Amino acid sequence: MTATLLITRQLEVHDHVLARDWRLDGDTGPADVRFLDDATAGWSYPASFGGERTNTVSDTTPVVLQCYFTFGDEGEVVFAVVPAGNLRGSGCAKHDTAELQFPLTTGGRVDLGTLTAMLDELEPRARAHDVHALVECRYFGPCPADRR
């Protein structure tokens, strides 16, 4: 894959999510070939948790809605979205989250139609999450309605 195509697909996603009020994360920008190899590079949705700011404690703080390029099980480049919530499955189905990966198109790009449909569903849920409820669910187990 050429450097031009790498940068073009990164900029397409960048323009698309920034138009939806997302922000760029990481130490490199999407116009940099090294963007794909930067583990901190991607985008996040600052309106997650109603825009409430939280202190970040690794492996503890709920994650905001985010997306990035990564590598799939076979080493291929894929695009990933992580819905807002608690990683590592310690709470209930409403609050737990995991990375969702989807392959690039045959042309090596992100299917922006699929991404749009996914974000149309995930952004309102991310905004509605209460970070306090997420933390309680993580530390005290599944929410009462989800206990069996």
Side-chain angles (χ1 to χ4, degrees), residues 6-64:
L6 285 172
I7 290 171
T8 298
R9 80 167 170 219
Q10 291 164 187
L11 288 171
E12 285 174 344
V13 172
H14 179 72
D15 292 343
H16 188 74
V17 297
L18 259 58
R20 297 177 70 99
D21 295 325
W22 286 54
R23 71 172 169 233
L24 177 65
D25 296 323
D27 299 322
T28 57
D32 188 329
V33 175
R34 297 173 296 150
F35 186 77
L36 181 60
D37 295 320
D38 181 351
T40 64
W43 300 269
S44 61
Y45 187 60
S48 297
F49 318 135
E52 186 175 335
R53 303 266 186 238
T54 62
N55 292 329
T56 300
V57 179
S58 72
D59 294 336
T60 301
T61 305
V63 296
V64 299

